[in-house]
Amino acid sequence: QVQLVESGGGLVPPGGSLILSCKARGFTFGSYWMYWFRQAPGKGLEWVAKATPTGRTTDYADSVKGRFTISRDNARSMLYLEMNNLQTEDTAVYFCAKDQEGETRGQGTQVTVSS
């Protein structure tokens, strides 16, 4: 049974930083591309970042490029998202997912950027 559990969200002021974590269970983590998505209040699911199975190649949405970094530790089945220079528009529930549509994802972790 696939399980993805996100953690690390919270309330930060504009310009602040957070690191999100995602623990994966129930599948061969190191064989899959992994993704971060987010959903802001009243909006649809938005792709944020992705990493190849080795983590050597990554890609980002234009809205977060240069501020967010996706990484993974395959030995621990962990996915991370380092978020710097957070802005109010980054406020959302953040999900990790094992498919490019975001259909198989965790319960999410709330990130709120506010002064």
Side-chain angles (χ1 to χ4, degrees), residues 36-81:
W36 284 100
F37 288 82
R38 67 185 181 185
Q39 187 165 24
K43 296 190 176 181
L45 197 64
E46 177 190 15
W47 169 71
V48 173
K50 63 184 177 184
T52 56
T54 63
R56 291 195 191 102
T57 301
T58 58
D59 195 17
Y60 301 89
D62 287 344
S63 58
V64 307
K65 200 168 292 185
R67 301 187 298 123
F68 290 13
T69 302
I70 186 172
S71 62
R72 60 194 297 165
D73 181 344
N74 287 347
R76 294 179 171 82
S77 297
M78 293 292 296
L79 184 72
Y80 303 99
L81 186 68

Side-chain angles (χ1 to χ4, degrees), residues 73-114:
D73 181 344
N74 287 347
R76 294 179 171 82
S77 297
M78 293 292 296
L79 184 72
Y80 303 99
L81 186 68
E82 179 179 354
M83 307 185 295
N84 296 309
N85 192 22
L86 283 160
Q87 305 299 313
T88 55
E89 54 265 33
D90 295 316
T91 294
V93 178
Y94 284 71
F95 304 89
C96 66
K98 66 181 289 286
D99 64 280
Q100 63 181 2
E101 292 81 19
E103 293 181 349
T104 303
R105 61 182 185 266
Q107 83 291 343
T109 186
Q110 175 71 49
V111 172
T112 302
V113 185
S114 174

